[in-house]
Amino acid sequence: MGNTVRAKLFKIREQRKATQHNCWIDRQIQRDLKSKKYEIKCFLSGMYGSGKSTLIHHMNLIYNPNLSNEEILEHRKQIYMEVFRALIAIIEEMKKDQCLKLKFLSYSYLLGNLLWHANLSNNGCKLPSEISNALRRLWSDVDIMIWYKHHKNRLDSCHHFFLERLTKILNDNYIPVEQDILHVSNTTKKNLNEVKCQLGTGITIWLIDVYNKLSCMSNSSKWLRYFIDAPAVIFIADLSCYDQVDHENEYDPMQESIAYFRSLCHARWLTNAKIFLCLNKKDIFASKITHSSLRGYFPDYTGRDEYNEAAEYILSKFLQINTNRHLSIHPLFTSAIDTESVRFLAILLLAIILLAIDAINGSKHHASQTIKLSKQDHAIEFMIDEVIHTAMKTQKIPGVALGVFRRGKIIFSKAYGYSNLEHEVPVKLETMFQSGSVGKQFTSMAIMMLLEHGKLQLDDKIRKYFHDAPIEWSNITIRNLLTHTSGMVSYSPDLNLQQAYTEDDFYNIIKSTPLVYQPGQQFSYSNFGYVMLGFLIQRITNQSYANFIREHIFRPLGMKTARIINETSIIPNRASGYMFIDDHIINQPWVSPIFNTMADGSFYFNIYDMVKWDEALYGDVLLKRQASFDEMWSSVKLNDNTTYEYGFGWSLLEAINGMRIIEHGGSWQGFRTMIVRVPEDERTIFLFTNMNRPTVDVRKIAHDVLQIYNAQLTVKPTVDYQLQ
């Protein structure tokens, strides 16, 4: 009996020891994974002159910003050399025009001697006064200034940059700034040029630039061993080099770049790598395409000489090369000298590595797999934080609430900054923000609900419901109001936002404002059109616009806190709106209450309200027929049978992978808001901010977050998205 008891006790102690030992092992695994500094190699490739060196240099400035005195002096010397080269470029171009006078010959001789002297003797501290004075005299010469004014497009963009900053650069107290350093013509001096990017979450990325002046990969054996396990490759192509063909030497840099990319796509050692295709120098391309036709270099191009179509065509030339369906290519339009563009590339790079490469954690142990998933979640949060914090800092945004939804379920949500600066009240997910024009989609939903109930038809003339409307409105339909094609203005110029109008006053102002074009002739954003839709809802239902939305949309969906704007009511968690005037943040200006009850966008929402709204757009609670949704998200057809990418309260876009993106923004009374939906990906981004100023780009912020989850959801190139 005693032996049996002792045996049981021994077994219990051994089990306890085993449990403790297993717990210790699990803790040790977690500690090791947490403390380990993962180092990942990424191959940076592309043709000579594509901007690789500038990109890697910019990455270094962002993630290793503390330059030594020696580095600053070296940069200053390089910048002085760029000034010399810019002035010499002008002289050389004037020679071609045969407009050189005697004094220019001496200038040319002087520049050659000054460049030689500066290159050999200048230690980077400052230029000798005789040299800097000579450069100032040359740049201020009347003939040179006249030539530059009329022919500056013949110079490189970096020449423009340094010439227009010449006075500051030649100042005795000049210290290089980031953009000065980035505009220097960088070239890879060694076979391998490396930069270390510590991006957080314990991950270090080594970007390795391979010097490759020719397109062939015959020398790959020298450096292939560096990249045999590289999870990602960044390929840089110069978007603006399409017209730099050298017929004499039979050299076409764009075709060479495409051929090089083809060889990369067929490299067997890159089977499991992710390729970032960066079409670089988009800013130069946008300015060049207007006067240098793409058709002269690609005879099969039939589009217009404008950024959107031309950029999409060149992208297609690269993408059609890839015949390996297992190879993942993520296209981006970039500018290597733009900090936000480069920083986002780094964040996106980290996203692909952490979310797509299983080898990061290594161990197949169950505990480590659990840790890996949490590490991925942490990585996503880190990347989103980086996007939001950067935007808040650069765009002076006090507070942000962000929600990422998957078919009506929250998969990520977070609040940042302050909802009220005076009392330092933090933003919460419950914080109520104004909708701005995001509210227009609720108006269009109400119209579609009335359509399904047989209360109206989209092609009804609005004078059917407004008998006192002017004759000029005879051809305006409900569809015209929904799609901003009615000819009505956005707001009339004599409208006073501080005046206490009644609804009848507002209606009479709209009636007395002339149309700016015939209905259906063009698209022109019109708040008046949506105000009229609100009046239409009231006339058909015999209840106010606010009551109809509350009873037929908010209540059925369980949007418990959503409501029409009311300045006098006590509204829990209401955010304050701000504007930015003369480098100061100010409170939103007061407007007459009538403007906050109209159907052009006048709601308070929070993140929990909007996830209910997102869920409804996949279901049949509000609309019973899929055809109604399809109608709402179809491009408007104009009188000449052309289309404009706008539906009923939604802008319509297309991602580079062909998926449809439907979205809308709003700005009003110190707030900017954005919703971006990708129905095929079942993903929605919703963004609230409490700063209304032109530089607050809520659309780009939302798209940056979207691309963290799926890089293929980059919007096809458009001028407003890619360049603004």
Side-chain angles (χ1 to χ4, degrees):
M1 180 72 179
N3 290 335
T4 303
V5 172
R6 283 195 294 273
K8 288 183 177 180
L9 290 174
F10 177 78
K11 185 176 182 180
I12 290 172
R13 284 197 297 270
E14 289 301 310
Q15 288 176 341
R16 186 178 299 149
K17 286 181 180 179
T19 301
Q20 292 173 344
H21 185 66
N22 288 337
C23 290
W24 179 88
I25 291 174
D26 287 341
R27 287 195 302 271
Q28 191 64 35
I29 290 173
Q30 294 183 44
R31 191 178 299 113
D32 290 345
L33 288 170
K34 186 175 181 180
S35 62
K36 186 177 180 180
K37 303 299 182 184
Y38 296 108
E39 294 197 346
I40 299 169
K41 293 176 294 187
C42 291
F43 174 28
L44 185 63
S45 185
M47 291 295 297
Y48 177 79
S50 61
K52 289 188 302 157
S53 298
T54 301
L55 176 64
I56 204 167
H57 197 50
H58 201 160
M59 284 280 200
N60 194 33
L61 285 175
I62 291 174
Y63 295 102
N64 304 289
N66 299 319
L67 299 176
S68 66
N69 289 333
E70 291 77 10
E71 289 174 315
I72 292 174
L73 294 178
E74 180 60 29
H75 287 312
R76 185 155 57 186
K77 180 178 178 179
Q78 292 172 348
I79 291 165
Y80 291 151
M81 294 302 105
E82 291 293 345
V83 171
F84 278 100
R85 295 187 187 102
L87 289 170
I88 289 175
I90 291 180
I91 298 295
E92 292 301 318
E93 289 297 320
M94 291 178 74
K95 280 183 182 178
K96 294 178 183 178
D97 294 343
Q98 298 181 347
C99 61
L100 282 176
K101 300 178 182 178
L102 182 61
K103 62 178 180 179
F104 286 113
L105 296 176
S106 61
Y107 276 149
S108 182
Y109 176 77
L110 172 66
L111 273 174
N113 279 279
L114 291 179
L115 179 59
W116 177 85
H117 176 73
N119 198 29
L120 289 181
S121 63
N122 177 44
N123 61 4
C125 294
K126 66 176 183 178
L127 284 175
S129 58
E130 63 272 16
I131 294 182
S132 59
N133 290 335
L135 294 176
R136 287 191 186 94
R137 287 196 303 271
L138 182 58
W139 177 234
S140 62
D141 183 272
V142 174
D143 292 320
I144 284 185
M145 295 302 292
I146 292 174
W147 184 93
Y148 182 75
K149 179 180 179 181
H150 292 95
H151 305 287
K152 60 188 299 184
N153 62 314
R154 287 162 55 179
L155 301 176
D156 292 340
S157 60
C158 64
H159 291 157
H160 297 305
F161 179 84
F162 289 111
L163 288 171
E164 290 165 11
R165 283 183 52 81
L166 185 140
T167 302
K168 291 183 179 179
I169 292 172
L170 297 181
N171 191 295
D172 287 345
N173 300 320
Y174 166 69
I175 296 177
V177 297
E178 181 181 90
Q179 285 299 307
D180 294 345
I181 296 172
L182 292 174
H183 276 82
V184 171
S185 299
N186 293 293
T187 55
T188 305
K189 300 295 193 301
K190 302 174 292 184
N191 288 334
L192 290 175
N193 188 19
E194 301 176 327
V195 64
K196 177 182 178 182
C197 300
Q198 186 70 48
L199 300 182
T201 68
I203 302 292
T204 297
I205 294 179
W206 284 94
L207 283 179
I208 306 175
D209 176 15
V210 176
Y211 178 74
N212 190 32
K213 191 166 184 176
L214 301 177
S215 64
C216 66
M217 301 182 71
S218 58
N219 295 324
S220 62
S221 59
K222 296 180 180 178
W223 42 260
L224 179 58
R225 59 188 177 88
Y226 288 97
F227 310 111
I228 199 69
D229 59 346
V233 173
I234 301 176
F235 183 87
I236 312 292
D238 181 359
L239 193 63
S240 68
C241 74
Y242 66 93
D243 61 351
Q244 298 171 10
V245 180
D246 184 350
H247 295 288
E248 183 177 345
N249 295 308
E250 297 183 348
Y251 179 71
D252 185 334
M254 180 63 77
Q255 294 297 341
E256 289 287 314
S257 186
I258 293 173
Y260 188 8
F261 186 68
R262 179 184 292 108
S263 65
L264 197 66
C265 289
H266 290 87
R268 285 181 294 177
W269 56 277
L270 281 180
T271 303
N272 297 317
K274 312 297 176 184
I275 298 181
F276 288 86
L277 170 60
C278 294
L279 296 180
N280 198 31
K281 304 184 182 180
K282 64 180 184 182
D283 48 341
I284 301 174
F285 177 77
S287 62
K288 179 185 284 189
I289 195 66
T290 58
H291 61 267
S292 180
S293 176
L294 195 64
R295 288 187 293 274
Y297 306 93
F298 290 91
D300 60 333
Y301 177 64
T302 57
R304 295 172 294 174
D305 288 326
E306 55 93 31
Y307 179 85
N308 298 2
E309 293 186 32
E312 185 176 342
Y313 170 82
I314 293 179
L315 172 61
S316 69
K317 284 293 186 182
F318 281 90
L319 293 182
Q320 69 188 17
I321 288 171
N322 180 30
T323 57
N324 182 357
R325 60 187 180 89
H326 299 294
L327 188 63
S328 178
I329 298 177
H330 306 277
L332 294 167
F333 290 85
T334 60
S335 172
I337 60 174
D338 176 60
T339 300
E340 285 197 17
S341 177
V342 174
R343 188 183 292 275
F344 181 67
L345 174 60
I347 294 171
L348 198 58
L349 181 65
L350 179 62
I352 295 299
I353 292 171
L354 291 182
L355 300 179
I357 307 302
D358 293 334
I360 288 179
N361 281 329
S363 173
K364 298 299 182 181
H365 190 277
H366 175 74
S368 67
Q369 293 299 306
T370 303
I371 295 166
K372 184 174 73 170
L373 292 176
S374 65
K375 191 174 184 65
Q376 290 180 353
D377 294 337
H378 178 60
I380 291 175
E381 182 175 5
F382 160 76
M383 290 178 282
I384 292 176
D385 286 351
E386 186 82 1
V387 168
I388 301 298
H389 288 147
T390 299
M392 291 177 68
K393 181 179 179 181
T394 59
Q395 302 176 35
K396 311 298 183 187
I397 303 172
V400 170
L402 172 70
V404 182
F405 313 143
R406 197 75 186 263
R407 201 175 178 85
K409 306 295 181 184
I410 297 177
I411 61 174
F412 179 89
S413 59
K414 195 167 183 179
Y416 304 82
Y418 293 105
S419 66
N420 182 284
L421 291 174
E422 291 165 304
H423 300 288
E424 296 187 346
V425 179
V427 176
K428 301 183 294 184
L429 296 179
E430 296 84 358
T431 298
M432 305 294 290
F433 291 81
Q434 290 191 19
S435 68
S437 289
V438 168
K440 285 182 170 65
Q441 58 202 246
F442 290 83
T443 302
S444 68
M445 176 62 78
I447 294 293
M448 296 305 291
M449 292 169 70
L450 293 174
L451 171 69
E452 285 198 346
H453 284 85
K455 302 293 186 180
L456 54 80
Q457 295 297 318
L458 294 177
D459 293 318
D460 284 346
K461 301 292 194 298
I462 63 172
R463 292 190 78 229
K464 174 181 177 181
Y465 305 94
F466 298 92
H467 303 300
D468 57 341
I471 297 297
E472 190 182 23
W473 290 12
S474 297
N475 293 324
I476 297 178
T477 65
I478 295 174
R479 188 187 300 274
N480 290 142
L481 296 178
L482 286 165
T483 57
H484 302 289
T485 59
S486 66
M488 292 183 181
V489 299
S490 186
Y491 283 129
S492 61
D494 56 345
L495 199 66
N496 185 347
L497 295 180
Q498 280 75 45
Q499 186 167 331
Y501 299 111
T502 64
E503 286 192 1
D504 287 340
D505 293 335
F506 211 149
Y507 175 55
N508 289 328
I509 289 173
I510 298 175
K511 285 198 303 180
S512 62
T513 304
L515 300 183
V516 291
Y517 56 84
Q518 289 302 306
Q521 184 177 353
Q522 66 183 68
F523 173 94
S524 181
Y525 197 81
S526 171
N527 284 303
F528 272 3
Y530 268 76
V531 171
M532 286 302 302
L533 288 171
F535 292 151
L536 175 64
I537 290 169
Q538 290 182 192
R539 294 206 175 191
I540 291 176
T541 65
N542 291 318
Q543 64 181 139
S544 71
Y545 169 75
N547 285 340
F548 182 87
I549 298 295
R550 180 170 55 249
E551 292 181 16
H552 296 278
I553 296 181
F554 292 166
R555 189 171 295 166
L557 297 184
M559 298 173 67
K560 297 179 180 179
T561 52
R563 59 187 300 161
I564 204 85
I565 295 174
N566 187 322
E567 298 293 347
T568 60
S569 297
I570 303 300
I571 301 177
N573 301 310
R574 173 164 35 192
S576 299
Y578 299 97
M579 299 181 69
F580 203 80
I581 303 293
D582 297 330
D583 293 330
H584 291 90
I585 293 178
I586 64 170
N587 283 301
Q588 65 182 26
W590 181 85
V591 300
S592 175
I594 188 67
F595 292 102
N596 285 324
T597 61
M598 295 293 103
D600 56 339
S602 52
F603 299 113
Y604 279 125
F605 295 128
N606 64 26
I607 290 296
Y608 297 119
D609 293 321
M610 298 316 295
V611 71
K612 297 288 187 182
W613 173 241
D614 182 58
E615 184 179 16
L617 297 177
Y618 291 103
D620 59 359
V621 176
L622 301 181
L623 295 179
K624 305 303 181 183
R625 300 194 294 264
Q626 181 59 41
S628 298
F629 285 110
D630 295 340
E631 184 87 47
M632 194 161 56
W633 297 328
S634 296
S635 301
V636 57
K637 181 179 288 188
L638 303 177
N639 293 343
D640 61 0
N641 288 325
T642 61
T643 58
Y644 190 88
E645 300 305 310
Y646 194 91
F648 299 168
W650 293 93
S651 295
L652 309 173
L653 303 167
E654 186 180 354
I656 56 176
N657 65 356
M659 285 189 182
R660 179 181 49 164
I661 296 176
I662 58 176
E663 62 177 36
H664 212 282
S667 60
W668 178 244
Q669 268 201 302
F671 295 89
R672 287 214 168 191
T673 306
M674 190 73 201
I675 181 172
V676 179
R677 299 187 69 247
V678 190
E680 294 168 86
D681 192 54
E682 299 184 340
R683 204 182 304 271
T684 299
I685 310 294
F686 203 94
L687 185 76
F688 288 116
T689 73
N690 57 344
M691 170 58 73
N692 186 12
R693 61 187 300 217
T695 56
V696 175
D697 193 346
V698 288
R699 185 171 184 249
K700 185 178 186 305
I701 298 170
H703 278 268
D704 286 352
V705 173
L706 181 65
Q707 289 176 70
I708 287 174
Y709 286 93
N710 187 346
Q712 292 292 316
L713 295 178
T714 302
V715 177
K716 282 190 175 180
T718 59
V719 172
D720 60 336
Y721 175 62
Q722 296 290 349
L723 297 181
Q724 297 301 321

